[in-house]
Amino acid sequence: MKLTKEELDKLTIKTAHEALVRGDFTAVDLAESYLAVIKEKNDKLNVYLEVFDDVREQAAEADRRLRKSENVDILTGIPLAIKDNILIEGRKCSSASKMLENYTATYDATVIKKLKERGVIFLGRTNMDEFAMGGSTENSAFGPTKNPHDETRVSGGSSGGSAAAVGGGLALAALGSDTGGSIRQPSSFCGTFGLKPTYGTVSRYGVMAMASSLDQIGPIAKTVEDAEIIFDAIRGADGYDSNAFDLPKYSATPTKLKIGVPYAFLNGGGVDSVVLDSFNDLVEKLKKNGHTVEEVSMPNLHYSLACYYVLMPAEVSTNMARFDGVRYGLHLDGQNVIDDYKKTRAAGFGKEVRRRIMLGTYVLSAGYYDAYYNKANQVRELIRSDYENVFNQYDVIITPTAPSPAFPIGKNTSDPLQMYLEDIFTVPVNLAGVPAMNVPIGFTNSSETAPKGLPLGVQVTAPHRREDILFVFGRVVENLK
Amino acid sequence: MLTKKDIDNLADLARIDLTEEEKTKLQKDMESILGYVSELQEAPSVTENHQPDQYYLKNVMREDDVPNESGADSEKILEEAPKRRDNLFVVKKILDN
């Protein structure tokens, strides 16, 4: 029995699980229904770099578990999309790069291992900016992912494929990774919930490192509940990632929220009026529903982007050093071993990756290290203090997730700095290591800057290890609608 | 200010062959980005008695032991090597005659 597109649209992880247990449809039915949507839409949208050829077999195995009521979990038989920088043993994993076009993963990432145990179906690997460097998926070596709400526009990035898969109905939920906004910003552009967990909550073993002091894996989903279910499934301490820890039991979760808004930062210019208007509407609704919304002072927040664009490239240049054409990936022959490296890395890395490696090499080089890298680390501490001070008095901080709705493909590709400004609201969160989530708040009406029907989002940020408050906020907003 | 020679040096350090055209573009892009990040110089400094928050990055140590069974994954890993001989990765010789 195939599900119609309308039926799929209404489905959540919980309702799908209940239907699977009741036997309304099977995991194979569900998987085949998604494969049909993928077949119809993927050529146009370029969401999946590869749709796995064993999806039916995976689903049949889940059905076996469901029929026997053996190890049945809420995620058994649930079809997910996986960002192409997360390793699944025996499958290709390219980070959307020519460097790894033919690389086959030799082991499972911890998050994949956990999902496999629960019987999740992996539909395929999703497009992204090469090595997660970008905010539009235009840096993919395999072409941009188009926005499911408007094919002339970007899906955001770097987890653009995962967000478009969920927003466009090509998967029930997905995994992404977030270093400076790569889960939240595409979620804002595609109308999905996207959670960047507290730094260290989810093991990064088996995700390709970009900037190790900032990287996190997280879920992209249609509802708060779905995001929470996946988050609970993938988090926890892991012997293979020394940063990963078990979340303590949450202390009492508030129901009426004390919300801080750093208005000085918001009104600093560069934010589309469509975004500001929708944000202000939301604030009014929150107040009417009994929540407190007040202006807060975060005086160092406006240094975040400058801080990020020093620390991130520094870490990128270090992490990318592993691609030497010796142990795996692309290899080009040169005159000598150094020449091998240079030719391989020139052919394997795209423009943005090369740009960031060069920047990182510069800020870490003798004579500039103190002025850039050390200074940025100090500023990072100041930014963290800003968050700490606000969270002494407030439950959450809210801002828009992105300064504009999804922009046209090609608009920012010639000016890297313009593209970097897209990260203005998401980057500070990674520097502080706190958790944050994009919550969809509706769609644009036609205006001078945007056509009708583009998704808009709000970013909610909570103190370290308080994802529970993010979920409360998400449910509050879900129920406002 | 970045000179052409700076770009050559950085490309050499980063082990990336760049075309002349790309070097020119990179010089321009990097100047614009470094110009932007230079606003960090105006940021206040951390005070001497500043305490990092309790979740600030810290080193996590562990015993220097082998977490996996020796050799268990060697074949899978070597299969991904562009050039191998038996259980070795093959590289060009690094010492001149």
Side-chain angles (χ1 to χ4, degrees):
Chain A
M1 185 204 88
K2 216 173 248 163
L3 287 87
T4 64
K5 242 181 278 178
E6 290 69 34
E7 286 169 320
L8 286 180
D9 278 347
K10 272 190 239 144
L11 221 51
T12 66
I13 291 175
K14 198 169 165 197
T15 59
H17 169 68
E18 286 163 357
L20 286 168
V21 169
R22 275 196 308 268
D24 297 354
F25 52 77
T26 64
V28 170
D29 293 333
L30 184 59
E32 285 186 341
S33 306
Y34 276 106
L35 289 176
V37 180
I38 292 168
K39 195 170 179 205
E40 183 202 324
K41 292 187 173 177
N42 198 48
D43 282 352
K44 264 186 294 181
L45 296 177
N46 199 24
V47 164
Y48 287 95
L49 292 174
E50 179 187 356
V51 179
F52 297 138
D53 58 10
D54 65 342
V55 170
R56 283 176 193 82
E57 286 81 351
Q58 293 179 56
E61 172 58 23
D63 278 331
R64 197 191 58 77
R65 276 168 74 162
L66 284 157
R67 268 198 314 273
K68 290 189 169 174
S69 300
E70 177 190 301
N71 286 329
V72 173
D73 179 86
I74 190 161
L75 286 170
T76 307
I78 300 298
L80 300 191
I82 305 295
K83 189 176 182 179
D84 191 32
N85 61 349
I86 301 172
L87 306 188
I88 310 178
E89 186 177 349
R91 299 187 194 272
K92 287 228 163 91
C93 192
S94 80
S95 244
S97 176
K98 292 276 179 208
M99 188 63 93
L100 294 175
E101 192 171 2
N102 297 307
Y103 173 73
T104 301
T106 53
Y107 62 98
D108 277 333
T110 295
V111 290
I112 295 299
K113 191 163 167 278
K114 286 175 182 253
L115 292 176
K116 273 184 178 173
E117 281 162 9
R118 289 165 184 264
V120 161
I121 314 301
F122 301 117
L123 290 169
R125 54 191 175 95
T126 54
N127 200 10
M128 55 187 279
D129 286 295
E130 182 180 7
F131 288 109
M133 298 181 206
S136 68
T137 320
E138 291 167 293
N139 295 332
S140 166
F142 309 108
T145 294
K146 291 165 184 160
N147 193 301
H149 298 276
D150 180 343
E151 287 169 27
T152 67
R153 289 174 184 261
V154 301
S155 58
S158 67
S159 311
S162 285
V166 179
L170 291 80
L172 186 44
L175 288 188
S177 67
D178 190 314
T179 304
S182 283
I183 287 174
R184 291 158 286 156
Q185 183 255 24
S187 287
S188 172
F189 285 8
C190 295
T192 56
F193 288 85
L195 169 68
K196 197 290 286 180
T198 306
Y199 181 74
T201 334
V202 179
S203 165
R204 296 163 303 166
Y205 179 66
V207 65
M208 293 184 202
M210 175 184 157
S212 306
S213 79
L214 304 157
D215 296 342
Q216 262 298 280
I217 301 175
I220 295 173
K222 294 200 289 191
T223 65
V224 178
E225 185 183 64
D226 286 1
E228 193 172 1
I229 289 168
I230 295 172
F231 173 62
D232 283 338
I234 60 175
R235 65 187 170 85
D238 180 17
Y240 291 110
D241 179 351
S242 55
N243 278 307
F245 58 84
D246 286 321
L247 271 182
K249 276 256 177 288
Y250 295 123
S251 46
T253 303
T255 49
K256 289 293 177 200
L257 297 170
K258 248 193 123 188
I259 301 168
V261 181
Y263 277 110
F265 184 53
L266 241 74
N267 297 326
V271 183
D272 196 317
S273 60
V274 177
V275 169
L276 283 178
D277 289 350
S278 70
F279 182 81
N280 292 331
D281 282 352
L282 174 76
V283 166
E284 286 315 309
K285 282 188 205 156
L286 288 166
K287 284 180 180 168
K288 269 188 206 137
N289 281 266
H291 305 283
T292 312
V293 186
E294 288 171 356
E295 175 164 11
V296 294
S297 164
M298 300 180 78
N300 298 296
L301 220 49
H302 68 278
Y303 294 116
S304 301
L305 207 56
C307 180
Y308 178 78
Y309 275 96
V310 171
L311 297 181
M312 177 276 292
E315 295 186 32
V316 160
S317 70
T318 315
N319 273 326
M320 291 296 122
R322 74 192 63 189
F323 296 101
D324 55 9
V326 173
R327 292 160 302 158
Y328 44 78
L330 187 73
H331 174 88
L332 264 70
D333 254 335
Q335 303 291 324
N336 51 47
V337 67
I338 301 291
D339 204 31
D340 282 7
Y341 297 155
K342 288 184 177 175
K343 285 201 160 57
T344 299
R345 290 162 65 81
F349 292 140
K351 278 203 171 65
E352 179 62 19
V353 177
R354 282 183 277 181
R355 187 155 45 221
R356 293 191 189 191
I357 292 173
M358 290 283 282
L359 265 173
T361 308
Y362 179 82
V363 300
L364 290 177
S365 60
Y368 298 103
Y369 182 89
D370 274 330
Y372 288 100
Y373 187 73
N374 268 352
K375 181 70 187 181
N377 268 320
Q378 288 204 7
V379 174
R380 182 178 195 173
E381 289 199 41
L382 298 174
I383 293 163
R384 295 177 72 102
S385 299
D386 278 2
Y387 278 95
E388 207 182 4
N389 293 338
V390 171
F391 287 135
N392 281 334
Q393 295 175 62
Y394 293 86
D395 297 315
V396 292
I397 297 166
I398 60 171
T399 65
T401 304
S404 71
F407 48 85
I409 291 172
K411 181 178 170 248
N412 290 333
T413 39
S414 60
D415 183 355
L417 189 56
Q418 196 55 44
M419 189 72 97
Y420 295 171
L421 292 171
E422 282 293 318
D423 301 335
I424 184 106
F425 294 125
T426 47
V427 149
V429 167
N430 298 73
L431 293 171
V434 290
M437 180 165 69
N438 176 68
V439 178
I441 54 169
F443 296 88
T444 54
N445 289 313
S446 60
S447 75
E448 274 173 37
T449 48
K452 196 173 183 304
L454 297 176
L456 293 162
V458 63
Q459 170 178 258
V460 55
T461 308
H464 285 266
R465 310 182 179 200
R466 293 311 300 264
E467 281 79 356
D468 60 320
I469 311 181
L470 299 181
F471 299 136
V472 168
F473 179 86
R475 289 195 170 90
V476 164
V477 175
E478 269 182 334
N479 293 327
L480 287 177
K481 275 177 257 171
Chain B
M1 263 311 178
L2 277 173
T3 63
K4 175 78 192 342
K5 195 160 173 289
D6 290 332
I7 299 287
D8 286 339
N9 278 340
L10 289 172
D12 201 42
L13 284 168
R15 306 282 193 240
I16 304 177
D17 258 351
L18 295 171
T19 62
E20 287 309 310
E21 192 191 352
E22 200 180 349
K23 282 179 189 167
T24 313
K25 172 85 167 71
L26 260 173
Q27 192 177 346
K28 192 175 132 260
D29 288 347
M30 285 176 66
E31 264 176 16
S32 132
I33 297 162
L34 291 170
Y36 178 79
V37 303
S38 67
E39 73 173 49
L40 281 179
Q41 305 315 323
E42 298 154 26
S45 294
V46 286
T47 51
E48 254 175 57
N49 54 8
H50 175 88
Q51 286 291 320
D53 60 273
Q54 61 165 315
Y55 301 111
Y56 198 59
L57 303 166
K58 40 185 167 285
N59 288 323
V60 182
M61 310 303 260
R62 65 165 173 81
E63 287 305 310
D64 186 19
D65 52 11
V66 186
N68 299 305
E69 194 192 328
S70 181
D73 301 311
S74 304
E75 187 51 38
K76 271 191 289 188
I77 290 165
L78 279 156
E79 254 177 48
E80 292 302 317
K83 287 182 187 172
R84 68 178 282 197
R85 194 172 61 228
D86 306 324
N87 263 3
L88 305 168
F89 296 110
V90 175
V91 293
K92 292 197 172 70
K93 63 177 182 180
I94 54 168
L95 295 173
D96 287 326
N97 289 329

